[in-house]
């Protein structure tokens, strides 16, 4: 391992200035040139948001009075100096903070390297300056069990310029996206719809080409953006790959760091081509000779052909990836390297660590859980977006009638602050980020526990305040106030697209409290109908779905969330999802397991009973657990039981019946599994006392009646299903009782047979003994006379 040495530069200043970041980056570059990887990682990590850590510190947040601050300065002992911490202690603290993060997370830092021109360039010029980029892996699925994990630094060369592109410079290409988006969407009154469509198409092409250039530039390192696998099949495949790579590394004397790098990239070899595989084998981080490069390349190609031959899954089923993004790279949609993954963004590692420590108790299995009972929505506070006001009022009143709405009215600062402190979810729909109604310094004084949606243009974009100052954004104030999640817009969108995507995000994350919409998928909503102020299903797609519009998707990101999929638990209608019943035979000393998937908000009900066990042993051990191994319920040697479990997040669960304690008897077990949502569906419409047919057209009247009949049929079906389930349970009870009776009948017959044999034997013995008493020559007579 690299040893920390005494730095040749002077200790960094503690003044609140943007020069701190530049000095730390310079220190990191010097350390890497000297071969001191640990110091390079530490200084690069400190460089991101160095002055922000002072601006948004706990001391600044608690200071409410200027006179109080002046008094603290006057009373301070200026001669008292604290001994500075050593680099070794700082690095150990960094590793400690990495290890305390949830094991499900993958944490990656993306930062620009120091450039000598930094002190002579303004922010706009720094954004486009061609500079190497450092990838630092702080936490991941570690292939080296038992060995302490240390951050891995992977320096990347400057992206190659492409003369055939509109912007040959890669960083200039990225920086142009926000400007092109604003110009493409900001249509003038003279512009025709065709010209605006052409501009939007050009913006989408610009974003798509930027993402493609990023993937090509990352090469094999794009697989670092794949999170820790969730499904058992992926975990098993990952383990097999890890074992073969470990065997190769041990045989070829490749160290732990090299083994980790190769293993992390090789987890999804199907996402890489042969050239990218060769790039990995020949990279400087491995530093292999030609023979080992060829051997490793052959191994990886064979693994891809054998292990991923029949793999057809395109969507990543992985836990979240936490991206720590340098402010100079913030305009790039890094999440679209793998658009089906789960990503969260942070400005620096310190913010990630502090937010996790503030909310650690509410984070389970890598996800921040929240029950969205108190929801507050601000709509059109500037009073100049009439269409937005009409569309969103219709949406929230239809799907979320219990939401508290503030419409066409600016919130007072005190009211806004109170809402942030008392609500579970706060949604802002208007211009910008809403900071115009809440002073940033006032926001710092709050302790926010709600999830905040900022549906406005550039609501979480970073802005420059001048030379040698760090860029700032609204979300930084929220996160300094310990807001766990800020969801906002990175670029500009029209009010229609803003409304549509706010509807998709909120509708997908928060279950509707209106039973009439409980069974409907919000993503199937017709955008043209929504534009007209109606909620209608999209029978024929008028626009591509969200997943096919890079322009729209790339403009949204989670600024500092502690979750990628928000698990909001609300009462919903009783939607039947899964019902299974089985009778199985568990052999002695065996364990039989079954796997089922469940979604957040559903409830798992499982009832089991042993109906036959041989010789009357009607008992078995049972376990309900996650596929990761965490046990939820466990029974030991029980004949029957019932378990009910509310599902906190999407995933697979296993149900195991253990007969390992029995040496000879197999057990016949009947069990019934039901996965459904809670609640009853007495009145599907929910408005039985309101005349819904008034003012309807004949077509709408027909659709309403068809819907009523469909609801009635569903109720009949649900009742029949419940009746059949009850009959199945009764049949299982009957089968168990019959088995017990037959076993008792068998025991009585066997016992009676042995009793008869004993009686016959005793009677025969008695006759022989009595007869021998009258025979003087018999041995029995002689023995009795002697006695």
């Amino acid at each position: 391992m690299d040893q920390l040495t005494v730095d040749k530069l002077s200790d960094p200043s503690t003044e609140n200035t943007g020069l701190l970041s530049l000095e730390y980056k310079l220190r990191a570059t010097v350390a890497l040139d000297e071969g001191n990887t640990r110091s390079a990682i530490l200084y690069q990590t400190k460089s991101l948001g160095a002055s922000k850590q002072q601006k948004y510190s706990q001391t600044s947040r608690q200071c409410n009075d200027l006179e109080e601050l002046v008094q603290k300065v006057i009373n301070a002992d200026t001669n008292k100096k604290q001994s500075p911490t050593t680099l070794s202690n700082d690095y150990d603290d960094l590793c400690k903070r990495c290890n305390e993060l949830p094991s499900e997370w993958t944490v990656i830092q993306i930062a620009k390297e120091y450039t000598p021109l930094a002190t002579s360039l303004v922010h706009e010029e720094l954004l486009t300056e061609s500079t190497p980029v450092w990838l630092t892996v702080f936490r991941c699925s570690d292939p080296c069990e038992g060995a302490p994990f240390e951050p891995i630094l992977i320096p990347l060369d400057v992206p190659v310029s492409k003369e055939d592109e509109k912007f040959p410079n890669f960083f200039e290409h990225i920086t142009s996206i926000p400007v092109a988006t604003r110009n493409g969407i900001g249509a003038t009154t003279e512009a025709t719809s065709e010209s605006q469509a052409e501009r939007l198409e050009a913006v989408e092409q610009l974003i798509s080409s930027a993402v493609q250039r990023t993937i090509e530039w990352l090469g094999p390192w794009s697989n670092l953006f794949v999170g820790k696998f969730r499904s058992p099949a992926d975990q098993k495949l990952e383990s097999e790959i890890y074992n073969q790579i470990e065997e190769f590394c041990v045989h070829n004397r490749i160290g732990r760091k090299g083994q980790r790098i190769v293993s992390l990239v090789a987890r999804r070899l199907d996402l890489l081509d042969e050239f990218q595989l060769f790039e990995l084998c020949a990279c400087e981080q491995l530093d292999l000779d030609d023979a080992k490069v060829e051997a490793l390349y052959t191994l990886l190609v064979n693994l891809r052909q054998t292990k991923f031959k029949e793999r057809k899954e395109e969507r990543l089923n992985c836990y979240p990836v936490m991206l720590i993004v340098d402010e100079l790279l913030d305009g790039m949609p890094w999440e679209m390297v793998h658009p089906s993954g789960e990503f969260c963004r942070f400005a620096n590692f310190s913010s990630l660590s502090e937010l996790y420590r503030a909310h650690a108790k509410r984070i389970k299995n890598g996800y921040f859980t929240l029950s969205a009972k108190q929801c507050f929505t601000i709509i059109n506070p500037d009073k100049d977006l009439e269409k937005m006001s009409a569309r969103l009022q219709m949406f929230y009143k239809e799907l979320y009638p219990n939401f508290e709405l503030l419409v066409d009215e600016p919130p007072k600062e005190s009211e806004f602050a109170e809402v942030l402190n008392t609500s579970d979810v706060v949604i802002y729909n208007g211009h910008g980020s809403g900071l115009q109604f809440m002073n940033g310094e006032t926001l710092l004084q709050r302790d926010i526990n709600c999830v905040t949606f900022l549906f406005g243009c550039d609501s979480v974009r970073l802005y420059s305040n001048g030379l040698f100052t760090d860029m700032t954004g609204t979300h930084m104030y929220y996160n300094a106030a310990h807001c766990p999640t800020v969801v906002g817009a990175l670029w500009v969108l029209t009010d229609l697209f803003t409304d549509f995507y706010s509807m998709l995000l909120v509708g997908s994350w928060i279950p509707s409290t209106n039973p009439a919409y409980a069974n409907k998928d919000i993503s199937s909503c017709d955008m043209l109908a929504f534009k007209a102020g109606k909620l209608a299903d999209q029978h024929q797609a008028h626009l591509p779905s969200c997943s096919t519009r890079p322009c729209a998707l790339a403009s949204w990101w989670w600024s500092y969330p502690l979750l990628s999929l928000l698990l909001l638990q609300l009462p919903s209608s009783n939607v039947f999802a899964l019902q299974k019943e089985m009778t199985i035979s568990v052999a002695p000393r065996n364990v039989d397991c079954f796997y089922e998937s469940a979604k957040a908000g559903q409830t798992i009900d499982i009832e089991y009973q042993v109906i036959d066990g041989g010789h009357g042993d009607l008992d078995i051990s049972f376990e309900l657990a996650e596929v990761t191994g965490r046990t939820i319920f466990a029974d030991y040697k029980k004949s029957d039981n019932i378990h009910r479990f509310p599902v906190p997040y999407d995933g697979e669960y296993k149900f195991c019946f253990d007969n390992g304690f029995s040496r000879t008897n197999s057990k016949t077990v009947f069990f019934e599994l039901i996965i459904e949502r809670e609640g009853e569906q007495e009145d599907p419409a929910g408005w039985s006392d309101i005349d819904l047919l008034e003012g309807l057209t004949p077509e709408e009247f027909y659709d309403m009646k068809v819907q009523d009949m469909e609801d009635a049929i569903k109720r009949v079906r649900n009742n029949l299903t419940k009746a059949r389930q009850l009959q199945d349970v009764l049949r299982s009870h009957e089968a168990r009782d019959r088995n017990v009776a037959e076993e008792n009948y068998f025991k009585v017959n066997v016992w009676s047979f042995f009793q008869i044999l004993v009686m016959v034997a005793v009677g025969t013995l008695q006759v022989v003994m009595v007869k021998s008493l009258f025979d003087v020559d018999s041995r029995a007579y002689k023995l009795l006379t002697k006695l």
Side-chain angles (χ1 to χ4, degrees), residues 728-743:
D728 292 336
V729 174
L730 293 177
R731 275 200 300 270
S732 66
H733 282 288
E734 180 186 2
R736 183 182 63 179
D737 295 341
R738 176 179 290 276
N739 289 328
V740 172
E742 290 179 353
E743 182 65 25

Side-chain angles (χ1 to χ4, degrees), residues 36 48 59 88 97 125 136 142 144 151 166 216 219 231 249 337 347 351 422 428 437 478 553 618 632 644 661 670 699:
N36 193 341
L48 300 188
T59 304
S88 178
R97 286 175 175 261
E125 296 172 328
T136 307
D142 190 7
C144 300
K166 182 178 180 181
E216 294 176 359
S231 69
C249 292
V337 172
S351 296
T422 59
Y428 172 82
F437 305 108
Y478 277 94
L553 265 186
L618 301 178
I632 300 172
R644 184 177 182 85
F661 57 85
F670 168 82
E699 292 78 9

Side-chain angles (χ1 to χ4, degrees), residues 3 112 123 224-225 270 369 429 510 547 611 657 667 694 722 777:
Q3 298 296 324
K112 269 193 169 185
H123 275 286
L224 296 177
F225 291 76
D270 56 317
T369 58
N429 296 274
I510 306 179
S547 60
I611 60 178
F657 297 93
K667 306 295 174 62
E694 182 180 356
K722 291 180 180 179
D777 297 328

Side-chain angles (χ1 to χ4, degrees), residues 136-414:
T136 307
V137 181
F138 288 115
R139 193 163 183 82
C140 59
S141 177
D142 190 7
C144 300
E145 297 182 359
F149 181 83
E150 291 191 8
I152 302 174
L153 176 61
I154 302 176
L156 301 181
D157 294 332
V158 178
V160 179
S161 297
K162 290 190 174 182
E163 301 300 330
D164 55 339
E165 292 282 350
K166 182 178 180 181
F167 300 96
N169 184 323
F170 173 77
F171 297 107
E172 185 178 355
H173 188 166
I174 296 175
T175 308
S176 67
I177 294 177
V179 178
T181 305
R182 180 179 293 275
N183 295 336
I185 290 179
T188 61
T189 54
E190 293 81 6
T192 63
S193 59
E194 289 77 15
S195 62
Q196 185 179 19
E198 292 175 358
R199 288 198 300 272
L200 290 176
E201 185 67 27
V203 171
E204 292 193 9
Q205 182 61 35
L206 182 68
I207 297 174
S208 299
S209 60
V211 173
Q212 186 60 35
R213 289 183 69 176
T214 304
I215 296 174
E216 294 176 359
W217 167 56
L218 289 174
W221 311 120
S222 62
N223 273 13
L224 296 177
F225 291 76
V226 177
K228 187 175 181 180
F229 294 134
R230 193 195 310 272
S231 69
D234 286 337
Q235 293 174 0
K236 180 180 179 181
L237 177 60
E238 178 187 61
S239 179
E240 294 175 357
I241 293 175
Y242 282 175
N243 291 337
Q244 294 198 32
I245 292 178
E246 180 182 15
E247 183 180 350
F248 177 87
C249 292
V250 171
H251 180 72
N252 291 274
R253 298 183 179 180
I254 299 177
R256 292 284 191 179
K257 179 181 177 181
Q259 180 184 341
R260 284 189 169 105
I261 291 175
V262 177
S263 299
L264 291 177
V265 175
R267 294 182 305 156
R268 286 299 299 267
L269 290 171
D270 56 317
L271 301 177
L272 304 177
D273 56 30
E274 294 184 359
F275 178 74
Q276 292 171 327
L277 293 181
F278 184 78
E279 280 187 292
L280 170 64
C281 300
C283 68
E284 295 181 2
Q285 287 71 30
L286 297 181
D287 192 21
L288 304 179
D289 56 38
D290 293 342
K292 291 182 180 179
V293 168
E294 184 177 355
L296 179 59
Y297 174 76
T298 303
L299 172 66
L300 297 180
V301 171
N302 292 335
L303 285 176
R304 188 180 65 173
Q305 293 176 351
T306 56
K307 300 297 184 180
F308 297 90
K309 183 178 181 180
E310 299 180 355
R311 190 178 186 90
K312 298 181 180 179
E313 180 184 1
E314 297 179 358
R315 184 176 180 82
L316 296 177
N317 185 15
C318 301
Y319 286 103
V321 176
M322 307 297 166
L323 297 179
I324 302 171
V325 183
D326 189 347
E327 63 182 29
L328 300 178
L329 298 171
D330 192 69
M332 172 62 199
W334 299 97
E335 295 83 354
M336 295 188 68
V337 172
H338 294 297
S340 62
E342 301 176 6
F343 296 92
C344 306
R345 280 202 188 190
F346 296 82
N348 52 72
F349 184 84
S350 176
S351 296
L352 166 61
S353 179
E354 292 301 325
L355 269 179
Y356 170 72
R357 289 183 172 183
H359 300 279
K361 294 181 179 179
R362 304 174 66 185
I363 299 176
K364 305 297 182 182
N365 303 307
Y367 291 90
F368 176 87
T369 58
L370 178 70
S371 178
K373 297 180 180 179
Q374 300 292 330
C375 300
F376 189 86
T377 302
I378 301 172
I379 301 176
N380 187 28
D382 293 302
K383 305 180 183 180
D384 57 353
L385 298 173
E386 298 179 358
K387 294 182 179 179
M388 170 187 283
S389 178
R391 286 191 292 259
L392 293 182
Q393 284 189 71
M394 175 269 302
F395 168 69
Y396 286 112
K397 290 181 179 179
E398 287 286 333
L399 271 76
Y400 306 100
N402 61 328
F403 275 26
E404 185 177 353
L405 304 180
L406 180 64
V407 184
D408 299 335
E409 181 181 348
K412 298 179 181 178
E413 185 171 3
S414 59

